[in-house]
Amino acid sequence: FSKLSRCKRRCQDLFIRLNGVTSTSYTYHQLRGSGASVSGTGGASQTYAYNFDAVTGNSAAADTVAGIILDIHDYANTTRNKTLRLFGGFDNNGSGQIVLNSNLFVNTSAISSISLISGGSGNWTTKTQFALYGIKG
């Protein structure tokens, strides 16, 4: 179960919610690098799978493109909590970033919906694309 986001414009937030759950059922840890520095962060009791701010929005330089791959493990299993793994980044003419996230959705329900929410003050542009792929095993 993977999602690919390819967006035009400037970095902004992406919030991910599963099954419409808005309670504090999400935890995350993140590693981020910009070529000049590296940082790490984490959090528990979140109301969304981590706010990933490497999605390009409507205020970026022209032709800036971000790519994200999100894997949701055991999405159909009803006896396990769900693990999400996100890898993504972008280049903005030499300044950009790359991010690796790991998230836990503390809920054993099978995933039936994914909400992708634009955060911050910008919007995704009309050239933003999302694709959903799955493997039925």
Side-chain angles (χ1 to χ4, degrees), residues 16 18 49 70-72 82-86 101-103 105:
I16 301 165
L18 303 175
L70 169 67
D71 295 315
I72 303 174
K82 309 305 176 270
T83 301
L84 293 80
R85 183 182 55 206
L86 184 144
N101 271 358
S102 180
N103 299 269
F105 178 47

Side-chain angles (χ1 to χ4, degrees), residues 3-75:
K3 183 246 348 140
L4 171 68
S5 167
R6 198 177 77 186
C7 313
K8 294 267 187 183
R9 307 282 184 243
R10 181 106 177 138
C11 179
Q12 73 182 54
D13 301 331
L14 168 64
F15 297 88
I16 301 165
R17 287 203 174 112
L18 303 175
N19 295 349
V21 174
T22 60
S23 64
T24 55
S25 298
Y26 305 90
T27 64
Y28 74 93
H29 63 272
Q30 177 188 83
L31 179 62
R32 176 188 308 261
S34 67
S37 65
V38 66
S39 64
T41 187
S45 301
Q46 304 294 306
T47 58
Y48 47 82
Y50 184 66
N51 164 4
F52 176 70
D53 65 350
V55 177
T56 49
N58 62 4
S59 62
D63 298 323
T64 300
V65 177
I68 298 170
I69 298 173
L70 169 67
D71 295 315
I72 303 174
H73 300 275
D74 296 321
Y75 74 93

